[in-house]
Amino acid sequence: MSGNNDTKFKLYDEKCDQLLDEPEIRFAGIIDKDGKLVSGGFKKGLTPYEGDETRLQSFLEFVSKASIRKEYDESLGPINYLAARRDKAVLVSFPFPITQILLLISAEPTANIENLAKKVVEIFTDVN
């Protein structure tokens, strides 16, 4: 890994840690184009629900496929985020098209998706 990537991943770790300070967020991670977690993770001290990692991976696969589809970008604009509300969690992904990575968030089911999106934009606004 190059020094530039190390610096970028350190920045991503810091940004994910800022998101994990939010009480409703359980997981915040950066996933590369190969589907590998490169920064972030579960909130410290949190016990993941049984199968959390598997569910996040399944959601990631779905999101990856949806995010790379470009057929509506010209008429509707690019995807800002994709969200799924489940009984036990809210899953939200934010594609970063230039760097071909995704931010994946898992939050409590009571989380307000629009407020989460605003917080992500606030925290990641200086990241490309």
Side-chain angles (χ1 to χ4, degrees):
M1 212 181 289
S2 74
N4 189 28
N5 275 346
D6 289 343
T7 303
K8 187 156 280 246
F9 292 149
K10 187 174 188 292
L11 175 65
Y12 291 151
D13 273 332
E14 291 169 7
K15 301 292 187 179
C16 287
D17 285 346
Q18 283 183 291
L19 284 172
L20 289 169
D21 285 340
E22 296 297 311
E24 72 273 7
I25 295 180
R26 301 174 49 80
F27 174 92
I30 299 290
I31 315 295
D32 70 10
K33 63 182 179 356
D34 299 319
K36 195 174 105 198
L37 179 68
V38 294
S39 293
F42 282 96
K43 186 176 284 193
K44 285 177 182 49
L46 178 90
T47 304
Y49 295 132
E50 184 181 341
D52 255 3
E53 284 98 352
T54 307
R55 279 193 282 282
L56 286 172
Q57 188 60 40
S58 296
F59 183 68
L60 171 65
E61 288 168 15
F62 162 76
V63 165
S64 295
K65 290 174 186 161
S67 296
I68 59 172
R69 296 180 68 186
K70 303 288 184 199
E71 67 255 29
Y72 299 111
D73 281 9
E74 197 170 304
S75 59
L76 300 176
I79 293 172
N80 294 318
Y81 63 86
L82 296 172
R85 185 175 295 280
R86 301 291 190 128
D87 289 344
K88 292 186 177 182
V90 170
L91 301 170
V92 190
S93 76
F94 299 83
F96 294 13
I98 294 169
T99 52
Q100 296 185 324
I101 59 168
L102 289 169
L103 168 63
L104 182 59
I105 293 175
S106 173
E108 298 296 338
T110 54
N112 179 306
I113 294 169
E114 284 298 318
N115 288 345
L116 275 179
K118 285 177 192 168
K119 180 57 75 176
V120 167
V121 169
E122 246 175 62
I123 290 173
F124 279 86
T125 195
D126 60 339
V127 176
N128 56 13

